[in-house]
Amino acid sequence: DDYPVSWDGNFNMTYRYSSRGQLKLFHFANQDDIGIRYESPLFEDVFKSGTKSSLQNVQWRHLFGEGLLVKSSLSRNSFSNNLGIGNLQMDLSDSMVKWRTDVSYPLSKSVVVNSGFEASTTDNRSEGAYPADPNDLSPESETLSYDSEYDSDYAGGYLEGEISLGRKLVIIS
């Protein structure tokens, strides 16, 4: 393997389908890998570490009628990290998918009602192997392993009123 390796890139596109609405797409990804030569009386190896992350997002925005504004987004982000040398290997990963929608409607020039909801699901994982003898990283030595996963889901909503009492004073409740 050749080290180091590092790159990132993104893509962003906005499509205005009318004077009242648009759709926006966004993608970002990156990767970083390093390797460090390791020499000991027991073995020679390369300590390797790598990370990857990405984010994808779709946003929709539309104004209905005389003021009903709806904004919604769906996103996914992920991260992974792996490192290892000899019989030591650790792999970590996180990912989340999230959906959020906000609705805003003016009842008058000074009163606005806002509401919305958000839901997400998250997955965290950690797995790998480590030496039974912490002083011996050689690939042939005995290892112990671990595997852990944690998932969570979240959902929530809100409703609020916004009252403007002049140019510089707004009350949100």
Side-chain angles (χ1 to χ4, degrees), residues 4-141:
V5 172
S6 182
W7 62 266
D8 68 44
N10 67 64
F11 171 79
N12 189 16
M13 182 180 80
T14 302
Y15 173 59
R16 183 175 286 276
Y17 56 84
S18 75
S19 62
R20 295 181 158 264
Q22 71 179 26
L23 188 64
K24 188 174 187 177
L25 305 173
F26 178 76
H27 173 76
F28 170 80
N30 76 324
Q31 177 178 345
D32 294 301
D33 295 317
I34 62 167
I36 301 168
R37 188 106 187 96
Y38 173 80
E39 297 177 12
S40 79
L42 297 174
F43 75 104
E44 293 182 11
D45 199 0
V46 175
F47 173 77
K48 300 172 188 170
S49 177
T51 61
K52 293 180 183 178
S53 64
S54 68
L55 168 67
Q56 296 82 33
N57 189 324
V58 177
Q59 293 178 337
W60 175 66
R61 178 184 169 129
H62 193 89
L63 180 63
F64 293 93
E66 296 300 314
L68 179 65
L69 179 62
V70 178
K71 297 183 282 185
S72 191
S73 69
L74 179 63
S75 63
R76 178 185 181 276
N77 66 53
S78 63
F79 172 81
S80 66
N81 175 251
N82 59 20
L83 58 94
I85 183 168
N87 64 4
L88 174 65
Q89 181 65 41
M90 297 190 321
D91 297 307
L92 311 168
S93 65
D94 295 310
S95 66
M96 182 170 83
V97 176
K98 181 175 166 181
W99 175 24
R100 179 179 176 114
T101 297
D102 297 292
V103 177
S104 180
Y105 185 75
L107 297 177
S108 68
K109 287 187 177 190
S110 60
V111 179
V112 177
V113 174
N114 300 308
S115 67
F117 71 90
E118 179 176 287
S120 66
T121 183
T122 304
D123 177 46
N124 306 95
R125 186 167 184 96
S126 176
E127 62 183 324
Y130 58 96
D133 175 356
N135 297 314
D136 187 1
L137 292 173
S138 62
E140 301 81 26
S141 65

